[in-house]
Amino acid sequence: MLMSDRKKTYSIWFITIVALFITCLITSNIIAVKLIEVFGFVVTAAIVIFPVSYICGDVLTEVYGYRATKRVIWLGFFCNLLAVAAIAIAQQLPGASFWDGQEAYNRILGYTPRLLLASFLAYLIGEFTNAIVLAKLKVITGGRYLWMRTIGSTLVGQGLDSVVFVTIAFLGTIPFPGMGEAIVVQWLFKSIYEILATPLTYWVVAFLKDREQLDVYDRDLAVNPFKLGEDS
């Protein structure tokens, strides 16, 4: 990121990571309606893309710091909210007389309030926890052991994400053993994704630090996710 005399500007690399983060987030929410089977376990199709948002979050926090990541997380939240609102409005609009796809539209793109609440809360809790843990570990380790910090923060963040989503979405509709299995399976798949992507994460972080000449350490930082000022 570069500072001008009058305003803050952002590099093309920062914008690219932010765009990828938000695209993965919105896409994962759309394709999550499809259930797939992987190694005998049933998971949502979002598993193929949603973990990338956590990798992007790791890169943002590691290079640009928690303050920048916090703003990106909220930006992703409101972009996703806009997408959901647009889908809901389109669902209520009367279709053309010759169009016969309303039932399919409702089934694939329709959201229940409970699932929306589960998705939004899980996203905010998981992403903020991931960013906070990574930022704190960076200070504690002096910037060493990136692999430990990215994997560790993902284990915590993705774990909370899975617990919050499955609990709110399915409590009372599936038995507790089934909920527990769903939580563990989602958590494991997402965490394994992060582990396999570690070499790519190392390369992207090194590339960005070199290009941006930036390596932020969040010392004495208030982690309040609702404070978005320059000193937050």
Side-chain angles (χ1 to χ4, degrees), residues 15-205:
I15 293 172
T16 299
I17 298 297
V18 172
L20 181 60
F21 175 90
I22 295 175
T23 300
C24 291
L25 172 64
I26 294 176
T27 302
S28 66
N29 281 344
I30 294 173
I31 67 175
V33 67
K34 182 174 182 177
L35 298 178
I36 61 176
E37 192 169 315
V38 181
F39 302 122
F41 295 101
V42 177
V43 293
T44 70
I47 200 73
V48 303
I49 193 68
F50 181 69
V52 178
S53 69
Y54 270 74
I55 297 171
C56 291
D58 288 344
V59 171
L60 287 168
T61 305
E62 174 66 22
V63 179
Y64 303 97
Y66 175 72
R67 292 180 180 88
T69 305
K70 177 165 56 175
R71 298 185 182 102
V72 173
I73 292 172
W74 279 116
L75 178 62
F77 175 83
F78 288 112
C79 286
N80 191 38
L81 185 62
L82 177 61
V84 168
I87 291 171
I89 291 172
Q91 184 177 3
Q92 299 304 316
L93 291 175
S97 59
F98 56 84
W99 191 64
D100 61 357
Q102 186 65 40
E103 183 177 347
Y105 184 99
N106 293 342
R107 181 174 181 181
I108 299 301
L109 295 177
Y111 296 97
T112 65
R114 184 173 179 176
L115 285 176
L116 282 178
L117 177 64
S119 177
F120 284 138
L121 284 181
Y123 162 75
L124 289 175
I125 292 172
E127 290 286 358
F128 275 117
T129 300
N130 181 71
I132 291 169
V133 171
L134 183 60
K136 292 298 185 182
L137 285 177
K138 183 175 182 180
V139 174
I140 292 172
T141 62
R144 295 170 295 174
Y145 314 121
L146 176 60
W147 63 270
M148 182 270 289
R149 293 185 281 113
T150 58
I151 294 173
S153 62
T154 296
L155 288 174
V156 178
Q158 292 279 21
L160 287 175
D161 179 286
S162 299
V163 169
V164 171
F165 178 79
V166 172
T167 301
I168 295 177
F170 303 113
L171 182 64
T173 62
I174 62 176
F176 281 106
M179 288 179 56
E181 180 179 323
I183 290 170
V184 171
V185 168
Q186 287 198 57
W187 176 64
L188 285 176
F189 271 95
K190 294 172 183 177
S191 299
I192 291 172
Y193 202 117
E194 173 77 38
I195 293 171
L196 294 177
T198 295
L200 177 61
T201 303
Y202 262 81
W203 182 85
V204 173
V205 165

Side-chain angles (χ1 to χ4, degrees), residues 1-11 14 64 67-68 71 211-214 216 230-231:
M1 288 184 289
L2 303 174
M3 291 293 296
S4 67
D5 293 334
R6 299 185 61 184
K7 63 180 180 180
K8 179 183 293 184
T9 59
Y10 298 94
S11 73
F14 178 81
Y64 303 97
R67 292 180 180 88
R71 298 185 182 102
R211 290 299 181 96
E212 302 282 48
Q213 292 298 294
L214 193 65
V216 175
E230 289 297 319
D231 61 340

